[in-house]
Amino acid sequence: MIAIITGDIINSENHPSAQWMDLLKDYFKQFGASPMNWEIYRGDEFQLKVTEKNALFTAIRIKAMLKTIKGLDVRMGIGIGLETYIGTGVTESNGPAYQRSGRNFETLKESKVNLSIATGEIEHDRTLNLMLRLALDFMDNWSVVSAEIVTLSLDYPQYSQKEIAQQLGIKQSAVSQRLKRARLDLVLDVLSYYKELITGK
């Protein structure tokens, strides 16, 4: 079982590619080489192959990273399932994970939702997508500083508030306020629930 994340950058036409392209590529490189594990195509669309366990974490991390640039956001459809055909790149490979991701992604614009997941299990999908819609109520509104602190906290979960403050060059009290405003506690709860549901642990 794998996960495929299909996405596109919202408001990319108002931002030079140089502002966000390297950021995205540098993050994607940790998942392997392009085009086998990820590809950016048609200017601002992408497809990324990850493990099912880390799919939601990766999608939220991508969202936080892109929202550190004022005015940018991202729309993503996650599909979980098998990979039954490996092509010359991720966009040419196939299987239920790819099909679910693509179909899921296609419905996002119409439903005005920026993140959705298709696992192939109706009950799982209903619960997870309800949770995501509620979480998107504040994640879609992350400010640049909220997005920065979420990105840092996801990358370095072992950091204390003091260490985060040092990294960002702000006071520790400001870190606490920003974490509360970003609702990081709720984000981590959703991620924890997702991991339990997917791994059965």
Side-chain angles (χ1 to χ4, degrees), residues 4-181:
I4 298 295
I5 301 172
T6 304
D8 73 340
I9 315 294
I10 299 170
N11 292 332
S12 62
E13 65 279 4
N14 298 321
H15 294 76
S17 297
Q19 237 186 337
W20 54 267
M21 184 70 79
D22 287 343
L23 203 62
L24 206 57
K25 282 183 176 177
D26 287 345
Y27 183 63
F28 285 179
K29 280 173 189 170
Q30 68 177 282
F31 301 101
S34 175
M36 288 310 295
N37 295 290
W38 59 272
E39 206 166 339
I40 298 169
Y41 53 94
R42 288 202 295 218
D44 65 353
E45 294 186 16
F46 62 85
Q47 202 157 46
L48 171 69
K49 178 163 69 172
V50 296
T51 63
E52 56 173 334
K53 190 173 79 170
N54 291 321
L56 188 57
F57 175 93
T58 304
I60 291 175
R61 169 61 176 72
I62 291 167
K63 184 178 183 71
M65 174 179 71
L66 288 168
K67 284 187 76 67
T68 62
I69 299 166
K70 191 172 174 61
L72 272 194
D73 204 344
V74 62
R75 190 182 289 115
M76 290 171 286
I78 303 170
I80 291 172
L82 295 172
E83 179 179 49
T84 52
Y85 172 76
I86 298 174
T88 55
V90 70
T91 55
E92 288 180 25
S93 299
N94 205 348
Y98 293 87
Q99 291 156 13
R100 284 175 190 142
S101 178
R103 286 183 197 129
N104 196 10
F105 176 71
E106 291 303 322
T107 66
L108 294 178
K109 229 175 196 175
E110 201 178 308
S111 59
K112 295 185 170 63
V113 173
N114 287 338
L115 179 60
S116 181
I117 192 161
T119 65
E121 298 277 344
I122 292 170
E123 283 306 312
H124 286 181
D125 290 355
R126 188 181 294 165
T127 306
L128 287 167
N129 286 314
L130 177 60
M131 289 172 78
L132 286 177
R133 284 210 310 276
L134 291 167
L136 285 165
D137 204 42
F138 61 85
M139 291 198 300
D140 282 345
N141 293 312
W142 275 337
S143 63
V144 168
V145 292
S146 288
E148 279 172 354
I149 210 154
V150 171
T151 304
L152 193 61
S153 300
L154 292 178
D155 282 350
Y156 302 99
Q158 75 280 12
Y159 273 15
S160 65
Q161 287 194 9
K162 189 178 178 183
E163 287 170 311
I164 291 173
Q166 286 168 347
Q167 284 287 322
L168 294 174
I170 58 176
K171 290 180 179 172
Q172 191 174 331
S173 57
V175 169
S176 179
Q177 287 169 358
R178 287 186 190 184
L179 288 172
K180 274 183 192 161
R181 212 171 294 133

